[in-house]
Amino acid sequence: MVDKVQKTEQEWKQELSVDQFAVCRLAGTERAFTGKYWDHKEKGVYVCACCGTPLFTSVTKYDSGSGWPSFFQPLQADVIRENRDSSHGMVRTEVLCGACDAHLGHVFPDGPPPTGLRYCINSLSLDFRPEAGA
Ligand code: FE
């Protein structure tokens, strides 16, 4: 299990940029093809922008054509949490950081093998840590 990180809305507001706060804490979505990681191909680990928990690795990142960073699986099953999202007239599965409940994006059943899943994640919800020596 991941250790829970709990902060007040005011604390998050102080730590995050306005755009990060809107996406991570208010479940916003950055515009497609505008984030810093949708076309990012370095080797390394993507961590939660809010709490630093490692969430995804470049090994499972792929080009989905969506304009958002896309992965076919999380680093470990319990680093993320899923939640039914029926906003905007659609039923989707929201993906959140398992530690701090940051909104990350959504998961869709149209990904590549071996999972068939597409974790469609906002760049603003992520920070990148290059792999040592990569
Ligand atoms: Fe987090």
Side-chain angles (χ1 to χ4, degrees), residues 86-100:
S86 55
S87 67
H88 302 288
M90 300 173 267
V91 176
R92 295 176 295 172
T93 303
E94 180 187 15
V95 179
L96 304 106
C97 172
C100 77

Side-chain angles (χ1 to χ4, degrees), residues 20-38:
Q20 275 179 325
F21 184 81
V23 168
C24 298
R25 309 317 311 184
L26 303 178
T29 301
E30 71 197 14
R31 282 186 299 124
F33 302 102
T34 64
K36 56 184 171 176
Y37 297 134
W38 71 272

